[in-house]
Amino acid sequence: MSEQNSSAFPFSELAGGEGLDIDAIFGGAPDGAAPGDVNPFEAALAQQAAPAASIPQGQPQTTAVPTEQAQPQPVPQAAQQPAASAPPVFQSVQPVQPAPATAPAAAPATQPPLDIDPLAAAMAEQEAKAEQKAAKSLFEKAPVFHYGSAREDITDPGMTFEELRIAKSADFPELGEGKKVSWTVEYGKTVKAITDPKGTTIASVKSEIELSKAFLDNLKKAKDKNPDCLVKPRVTAQSKGIAAYKGVFASLEEARASGKAICTIPGGDGRVYELRKNELGEFIAPKDSVIDLGSVRAGFTPALPLVPMELLAQIISFFRCCMTGPEEFEALAHILWDKQEQEFVVRVPEQTVTKAHIDAKLNRDDLPEERYLHYIDIHSHNSMEAKFSPVDDEDERATRIYIVVGRLDKFFPDITVRMSCGGTYLTLPPGCVLESFGAVFPAEWRTQVKLLRRSAPPVLHPLAERLRCQGIV
């Protein structure tokens, strides 16, 4: 084997010009230049630009030779001067082409910086996807009509605000006149007033808010990520009102000091009076019907559930037990509402009773008022009628519900219910506060009952009816 060369050049070093013609290898010297005075790299670049010569398929490019024959051999002097017309053809020696310099590849746009935790980046990406999914579901929600205690999804958000007002005016007559109704859309913390209700659709306003930067920024900060888009009407003026020359006042002194010609004043006797002032003097008279005041209907609207029938049955059984001894007597029970457990409880206070009188201790140390509401006083009249006595009127002045149960000797006793509004009593239907009888029955029972429809008698002319009554016709 030949001796290894430690230099970077893979060929053995030869003496200057000995056995190797540089001009022949690199294409000869240009005109006017001495042989061997050519830049070999320029010649290589020129050759690279020229079309490459095809290599015959039948001739191998390289031939394996023994190691001894691999050494360069002296070349005759005649071979060192090639003909000018024939360019040299290289069979086994190929020039080494320098690799083109390539620019470093740009990092992908989604590649996180080297100083960011990959796990944190993945979690941030998942949160972003979750926010996008939540935003998509939010934008698909229907807007909500909200007026007073009424809430309803708007199934056709393509309608205008004016069309919605017309559709809802049947249920809310105060929305009947469009000039006196204004609209706002409340979406999260964004509130937008509608200036053109006839030409603006609900969907366009909802979409406009959803695409705004303020809405999206507030949505990221808000705890509620799924707010409703509330469409709210508001009545800005009343169709009816008190004229400029009229007024309602709390006292006669205020009415006299005002500049109103007609004044409405409540009296200490419970009646309403009207004061009229003119150049002749002051005229005061009671008014039975005052159009300037709204109508008020007396009654009771419970804020608690109905008292269960099972609880009432227990109390009635307790009252009947007080009639089984040698002498029947009355008894009293309190129905309380437990605010913590959200249920009714019964308390029987310590009491001294007779057939027509009850003397009870009303201390409630065991049931604190902070937790229990005193809702109903219920007492019995044993076998007597279920009517409140004058003694009851003196005792039952607190504002609550009062019940008396009488004729307990019958299968179904009599029950009378009333309320006290600061000592003013009003009788109520028992079903206002008590749960009534009711149970599920088979449906076929109802199918067995058929209504018999009778034909109505013919309607006669008044003169003909008069003659019929007199027996003439």
Side-chain angles (χ1 to χ4, degrees), residues 65-250:
V65 295
T67 306
E68 292 76 3
Q69 299 179 2
Q71 300 294 330
Q73 299 296 327
V75 180
Q77 186 68 24
Q80 296 180 8
Q81 302 293 334
S85 59
V89 177
F90 302 97
Q91 297 288 337
S92 60
V93 180
Q94 299 293 335
V96 179
Q97 302 294 336
T102 58
T110 58
Q111 182 178 359
L114 297 179
D115 56 346
I116 295 181
D117 186 4
L119 179 59
M123 294 178 63
E125 184 178 358
Q126 292 294 332
E127 291 178 358
K129 291 181 179 179
E131 289 182 358
Q132 294 177 359
K133 184 177 180 181
K136 182 179 179 181
S137 62
L138 172 64
F139 297 160
E140 292 175 352
K141 286 180 59 177
V144 178
F145 172 77
H146 182 38
Y147 181 62
S149 60
R151 291 175 65 101
E152 182 186 34
D153 288 349
I154 301 175
T155 57
D156 183 15
M159 67 170 57
T160 64
F161 290 86
E162 177 67 10
E163 292 172 342
L164 180 60
R165 180 195 65 79
I166 295 173
K168 296 300 181 183
S169 60
D171 296 329
F172 306 99
E174 61 271 27
L175 303 179
E177 192 169 350
K179 294 181 179 180
K180 298 179 180 179
V181 177
S182 64
W183 293 88
T184 57
V185 176
E186 296 183 9
Y187 204 171
K189 294 185 178 180
T190 303
V191 180
K192 181 177 179 58
I194 307 303
T195 58
D196 182 18
K198 292 184 178 180
T200 306
T201 63
I202 300 168
S204 65
V205 175
K206 180 175 183 290
S207 178
E208 178 184 351
I209 295 176
E210 290 170 345
L211 297 177
S212 65
K213 183 177 182 300
F215 174 77
L216 298 177
D217 292 343
N218 291 332
L219 188 63
K220 292 179 181 179
K221 301 175 184 178
K223 295 182 180 179
D224 184 9
K225 303 295 184 182
N226 194 24
D228 290 331
C229 179
L230 303 179
V231 179
K232 293 185 172 183
R234 184 169 67 92
V235 180
T236 57
Q238 293 290 341
S239 300
K240 297 180 180 179
I242 300 178
Y245 54 85
K246 302 173 67 176
V248 179
F249 302 92

Side-chain angles (χ1 to χ4, degrees), residues 262-282:
I262 303 175
C263 305
T264 301
I265 312 160
D269 57 357
R271 301 193 63 180
V272 177
Y273 292 84
E274 184 177 78
L275 165 65
R276 290 176 178 260
K277 296 179 291 185
N278 58 27
E279 297 178 351
L280 302 178
E282 293 181 353

Side-chain angles (χ1 to χ4, degrees), residues 38-81:
V38 178
N39 188 344
F41 296 102
E42 293 181 356
L45 293 174
Q47 183 179 2
Q48 182 181 3
S54 60
I55 299 176
Q57 298 296 329
Q59 181 179 0
Q61 295 185 9
T62 57
T63 303
V65 295
T67 306
E68 292 76 3
Q69 299 179 2
Q71 300 294 330
Q73 299 296 327
V75 180
Q77 186 68 24
Q80 296 180 8
Q81 302 293 334

Side-chain angles (χ1 to χ4, degrees), residues 351-420:
Q351 52 195 282
T352 303
V353 300
T354 65
K355 180 178 175 62
H357 182 77
I358 299 174
D359 187 9
K361 296 182 179 180
L362 302 180
N363 60 315
R364 287 172 44 194
D365 297 335
D366 55 333
L367 299 174
E369 295 182 0
E370 294 78 11
R371 175 175 173 178
Y372 297 92
L373 298 177
H374 192 165
Y375 184 37
I376 298 175
D377 280 6
I378 179 170
H379 73 279
S380 66
H381 274 188
N382 42 70
S383 61
M384 298 183 293
E385 294 182 347
K387 291 183 179 181
F388 291 96
S389 66
V391 177
D392 297 335
D393 294 343
E394 291 295 328
D395 294 339
E396 299 175 350
R397 293 184 177 273
T399 302
R400 64 171 63 104
I401 304 299
Y402 297 91
I403 300 176
V404 59
V405 182
R407 297 306 308 270
L408 286 162
D409 53 332
K410 298 192 307 181
F411 184 81
F412 289 107
D414 296 338
I415 298 177
T416 303
V417 180
R418 74 177 180 180
M419 73 172 195
S420 172

